[in-house]
Amino acid sequence: MHEIDRSILSTLEADEILDTAARLVGKVIPCERATVVLIDRERQGFIYKGGFGVTFVQKGAFVPFKDSSAAEEVVKKGRTEYVSDLGKLKGLLPLEEKFLKDGFLSHIRVPLIVKGEIDGILTIGAKRAAAFTPEDLSTLEKLASQIGVALENARLISDLEELFIGTVKSLASAID
């Protein structure tokens, strides 16, 4: 966990934070899949930002909310979702069907909260039923919290850079 904290807090690029977090989560929690998506409220869906173990979605791809009712529920309610056996659920939507087809049975979805708003979802998956423990869930929630802090820090630094550039432009204009 310490290595993940240090890695995600040492960079100021949001995409790098998300990719690093998804890549390193497998070292802390035994899983065959880890993904991070950000919410695109304008287009009503998710943008896949990073991870491993998913063959049917490429980085940067857009997934509409309507393709995954469970992920949409995580966004609406802001609560963690744990499914112990995807194969036992009825009426799966396209995204969950693809996960099941690839052999994933268990998954945990945790909202990424930035400034009180849900900005994305961190998901891990396993190809065995009931693969995750309450400790795994707790660890993933702590990690999601750290990712939220890192994303907020990255946004603040970006805003500060824009403010600085605007100030320099104003001074240059005044001097001219």
Side-chain angles (χ1 to χ4, degrees), residues 16 24 32 36-37 42-43 60 62 73 81 91 95 97 101 107 113 130-132 135-136 147 155 159 161:
E16 192 175 333
L24 294 176
E32 288 87 24
V36 179
V37 296
E42 281 183 24
R43 295 192 296 170
F62 176 78
E73 285 299 308
E81 176 205 41
L95 187 64
E97 283 180 358
K101 183 180 174 192
H107 73 244
I113 300 172
F132 303 111
E135 291 80 23
D136 294 335
I147 294 169
R155 284 192 185 144
D159 290 349
E161 285 175 353

Short mmCIF file of all heavy atoms in Angstrom, two decimals, residues 16 24 32 36-37 42-43 60 62 73 81 91 95 97 101 107 113 130-132 135-136 147 155 159 161:
data_model
loop_
_atom_site.label_atom_id
_atom_site.label_comp_id
_atom_site.label_asym_id
_atom_site.label_seq_id
_atom_site.Cartn_x
_atom_site.Cartn_y
_atom_site.Cartn_z
N GLU A 16 -1.73 9.36 -15.58
CA GLU A 16 -0.64 8.56 -15.02
C GLU A 16 -1.02 8.03 -13.62
O GLU A 16 -0.71 6.90 -13.28
CB GLU A 16 0.63 9.40 -14.95
CG GLU A 16 1.86 8.59 -14.64
CD GLU A 16 3.13 9.42 -14.69
OE1 GLU A 16 3.16 10.43 -15.41
OE2 GLU A 16 4.08 9.06 -13.98
N LEU A 24 -0.84 -1.25 -10.06
CA LEU A 24 -0.27 -1.68 -8.79
C LEU A 24 -1.27 -2.34 -7.84
O LEU A 24 -0.86 -3.00 -6.89
CB LEU A 24 0.39 -0.49 -8.09
CG LEU A 24 1.62 0.09 -8.78
CD1 LEU A 24 2.13 1.32 -8.04
CD2 LEU A 24 2.72 -0.96 -8.90
N GLU A 32 -7.32 -10.81 -11.24
CA GLU A 32 -6.90 -10.97 -12.64
C GLU A 32 -7.25 -9.76 -13.49
O GLU A 32 -6.88 -9.69 -14.66
CB GLU A 32 -7.56 -12.22 -13.25
CG GLU A 32 -7.01 -13.53 -12.75
CD GLU A 32 -7.70 -14.02 -11.48
OE1 GLU A 32 -8.85 -13.64 -11.21
OE2 GLU A 32 -7.06 -14.78 -10.74
N VAL A 36 -9.75 1.30 -14.21
CA VAL A 36 -10.18 2.61 -13.71
C VAL A 36 -10.89 3.32 -14.84
O VAL A 36 -10.38 3.40 -15.96
CB VAL A 36 -8.97 3.46 -13.24
CG1 VAL A 36 -9.43 4.81 -12.75
CG2 VAL A 36 -8.19 2.75 -12.15
N VAL A 37 -12.10 3.81 -14.54
CA VAL A 37 -12.85 4.59 -15.52
C VAL A 37 -13.21 5.93 -14.89
O VAL A 37 -13.38 6.03 -13.69
CB VAL A 37 -14.15 3.87 -15.97
CG1 VAL A 37 -13.83 2.58 -16.70
CG2 VAL A 37 -15.09 3.62 -14.82
N GLU A 42 -21.55 14.45 -19.54
CA GLU A 42 -22.14 15.03 -20.75
C GLU A 42 -22.62 13.94 -21.70
O GLU A 42 -23.71 14.02 -22.25
CB GLU A 42 -21.13 15.93 -21.48
CG GLU A 42 -20.97 17.29 -20.87
CD GLU A 42 -20.01 18.14 -21.68
OE1 GLU A 42 -19.82 17.89 -22.89
OE2 GLU A 42 -19.44 19.07 -21.08
N ARG A 43 -21.79 12.94 -21.91
CA ARG A 43 -22.14 11.86 -22.83
C ARG A 43 -22.82 10.69 -22.14
O ARG A 43 -23.16 9.70 -22.79
CB ARG A 43 -20.89 11.36 -23.57
CG ARG A 43 -20.28 12.43 -24.46
CD ARG A 43 -19.25 11.86 -25.39
NE ARG A 43 -18.09 11.33 -24.67
CZ ARG A 43 -17.13 10.61 -25.25
NH1 ARG A 43 -17.18 10.35 -26.54
NH2 ARG A 43 -16.12 10.16 -24.54
N GLY A 60 -9.00 4.69 -23.34
CA GLY A 60 -9.61 5.86 -23.97
C GLY A 60 -10.99 5.58 -24.54
O GLY A 60 -11.68 6.50 -24.98
N PHE A 62 -14.98 4.79 -24.81
CA PHE A 62 -16.17 5.28 -24.13
C PHE A 62 -17.16 4.13 -23.98
O PHE A 62 -17.42 3.39 -24.92
CB PHE A 62 -16.81 6.42 -24.93
CG PHE A 62 -18.10 6.93 -24.35
CD1 PHE A 62 -18.08 7.78 -23.26
CD2 PHE A 62 -19.31 6.54 -24.88
CE1 PHE A 62 -19.27 8.24 -22.71
CE2 PHE A 62 -20.51 6.99 -24.34
CZ PHE A 62 -20.49 7.86 -23.25
N GLU A 73 -25.22 2.33 -11.11
CA GLU A 73 -25.74 2.37 -9.73
C GLU A 73 -24.66 2.82 -8.75
O GLU A 73 -24.95 3.54 -7.80
CB GLU A 73 -26.28 1.00 -9.31
CG GLU A 73 -27.61 0.67 -9.93
CD GLU A 73 -28.70 1.66 -9.53
OE1 GLU A 73 -28.88 1.89 -8.32
OE2 GLU A 73 -29.36 2.20 -10.43
N GLU A 81 -19.78 -1.70 -4.70
CA GLU A 81 -20.57 -2.87 -5.14
C GLU A 81 -19.66 -4.09 -5.15
O GLU A 81 -18.56 -4.04 -5.69
CB GLU A 81 -21.11 -2.64 -6.55
CG GLU A 81 -21.85 -3.85 -7.07
CD GLU A 81 -21.89 -3.93 -8.58
OE1 GLU A 81 -20.87 -3.63 -9.22
OE2 GLU A 81 -22.94 -4.30 -9.10
N GLY A 91 -30.30 -11.21 -16.34
CA GLY A 91 -30.50 -9.95 -17.04
C GLY A 91 -29.26 -9.07 -17.10
O GLY A 91 -29.35 -7.86 -16.92
N LEU A 95 -21.80 -5.01 -20.82
CA LEU A 95 -20.48 -4.99 -20.19
C LEU A 95 -20.29 -6.19 -19.26
O LEU A 95 -19.26 -6.88 -19.31
CB LEU A 95 -20.26 -3.68 -19.42
CG LEU A 95 -18.87 -3.47 -18.85
CD1 LEU A 95 -17.84 -3.36 -19.97
CD2 LEU A 95 -18.82 -2.22 -17.98
N GLU A 97 -21.92 -9.00 -19.38
CA GLU A 97 -21.90 -10.20 -20.21
C GLU A 97 -20.51 -10.46 -20.77
O GLU A 97 -20.05 -11.60 -20.82
CB GLU A 97 -22.91 -10.08 -21.36
CG GLU A 97 -24.34 -10.30 -20.95
CD GLU A 97 -25.31 -10.17 -22.11
OE1 GLU A 97 -24.89 -9.87 -23.25
OE2 GLU A 97 -26.51 -10.36 -21.86
N LYS A 101 -18.21 -13.65 -20.14
CA LYS A 101 -17.70 -14.40 -21.28
C LYS A 101 -16.18 -14.59 -21.17
O LYS A 101 -15.64 -15.62 -21.55
CB LYS A 101 -18.05 -13.68 -22.58
CG LYS A 101 -17.63 -14.41 -23.83
CD LYS A 101 -18.00 -13.65 -25.07
CE LYS A 101 -17.44 -14.34 -26.29
NZ LYS A 101 -17.51 -13.52 -27.48
N HIS A 107 -16.37 -9.46 -8.77
CA HIS A 107 -15.78 -8.14 -8.93
C HIS A 107 -16.21 -7.21 -7.81
O HIS A 107 -17.22 -7.42 -7.16
CB HIS A 107 -16.03 -7.53 -10.31
CG HIS A 107 -17.42 -7.05 -10.56
ND1 HIS A 107 -18.21 -7.61 -11.51
CD2 HIS A 107 -18.17 -6.09 -9.98
CE1 HIS A 107 -19.39 -7.00 -11.52
NE2 HIS A 107 -19.39 -6.08 -10.59
N ILE A 113 -14.00 9.31 -5.33
CA ILE A 113 -14.66 10.55 -4.92
C ILE A 113 -13.64 11.68 -4.85
O ILE A 113 -12.61 11.56 -4.18
CB ILE A 113 -15.38 10.37 -3.57
CG1 ILE A 113 -16.43 9.27 -3.72
CG2 ILE A 113 -16.00 11.68 -3.11
CD1 ILE A 113 -17.10 8.85 -2.44
N ALA A 130 -16.64 -15.69 -5.34
CA ALA A 130 -16.36 -15.29 -3.94
C ALA A 130 -14.86 -15.15 -3.70
O ALA A 130 -14.32 -15.63 -2.72
CB ALA A 130 -16.98 -16.28 -2.97
N ALA A 131 -14.18 -14.46 -4.62
CA ALA A 131 -12.73 -14.36 -4.58
C ALA A 131 -12.20 -13.35 -3.58
O ALA A 131 -11.04 -13.41 -3.19
CB ALA A 131 -12.21 -14.00 -5.98
N PHE A 132 -13.04 -12.42 -3.15
CA PHE A 132 -12.53 -11.31 -2.35
C PHE A 132 -13.04 -11.38 -0.91
O PHE A 132 -14.16 -11.81 -0.64
CB PHE A 132 -12.90 -9.98 -2.99
CG PHE A 132 -12.40 -9.86 -4.40
CD1 PHE A 132 -13.27 -9.86 -5.48
CD2 PHE A 132 -11.04 -9.78 -4.66
CE1 PHE A 132 -12.81 -9.76 -6.77
CE2 PHE A 132 -10.57 -9.69 -5.97
CZ PHE A 132 -11.45 -9.69 -7.02
N GLU A 135 -11.39 -7.79 3.95
CA GLU A 135 -10.15 -7.03 4.02
C GLU A 135 -9.78 -6.45 2.65
O GLU A 135 -9.29 -5.34 2.55
CB GLU A 135 -8.99 -7.91 4.54
CG GLU A 135 -9.10 -8.30 6.00
CD GLU A 135 -10.08 -9.46 6.23
OE1 GLU A 135 -10.36 -10.26 5.30
OE2 GLU A 135 -10.60 -9.54 7.36
N ASP A 136 -10.03 -7.25 1.59
CA ASP A 136 -9.79 -6.76 0.23
C ASP A 136 -10.67 -5.54 -0.06
O ASP A 136 -10.22 -4.56 -0.64
CB ASP A 136 -10.07 -7.85 -0.81
CG ASP A 136 -9.11 -9.02 -0.72
OD1 ASP A 136 -7.97 -8.83 -0.23
OD2 ASP A 136 -9.50 -10.12 -1.15
N ILE A 147 -6.56 7.65 -4.29
CA ILE A 147 -6.62 8.06 -5.70
C ILE A 147 -7.40 9.36 -5.82
O ILE A 147 -7.00 10.26 -6.56
CB ILE A 147 -7.25 6.95 -6.57
CG1 ILE A 147 -6.34 5.72 -6.61
CG2 ILE A 147 -7.51 7.46 -7.99
CD1 ILE A 147 -6.99 4.49 -7.22
N ARG A 155 -5.45 18.23 -10.09
CA ARG A 155 -6.30 19.31 -10.60
C ARG A 155 -5.89 20.66 -10.02
O ARG A 155 -5.88 21.67 -10.72
CB ARG A 155 -7.76 19.03 -10.26
CG ARG A 155 -8.35 17.99 -11.15
CD ARG A 155 -9.85 17.93 -11.01
NE ARG A 155 -10.34 16.83 -11.81
CZ ARG A 155 -11.33 16.05 -11.49
NH1 ARG A 155 -11.98 16.26 -10.38
NH2 ARG A 155 -11.70 15.07 -12.27
N ASP A 159 -4.68 23.85 -12.14
CA ASP A 159 -5.33 25.16 -12.00
C ASP A 159 -4.31 26.23 -11.64
O ASP A 159 -4.37 27.35 -12.15
CB ASP A 159 -6.42 25.12 -10.93
CG ASP A 159 -7.63 24.30 -11.35
OD1 ASP A 159 -7.72 23.93 -12.54
OD2 ASP A 159 -8.47 24.01 -10.48
N GLU A 161 -1.10 26.22 -12.38
CA GLU A 161 -0.29 26.48 -13.58
C GLU A 161 -1.03 27.42 -14.53
O GLU A 161 -0.43 28.35 -15.08
CB GLU A 161 0.05 25.17 -14.29
CG GLU A 161 1.11 24.37 -13.59
CD GLU A 161 1.35 23.01 -14.25
OE1 GLU A 161 0.60 22.63 -15.19
OE2 GLU A 161 2.30 22.34 -13.83
#
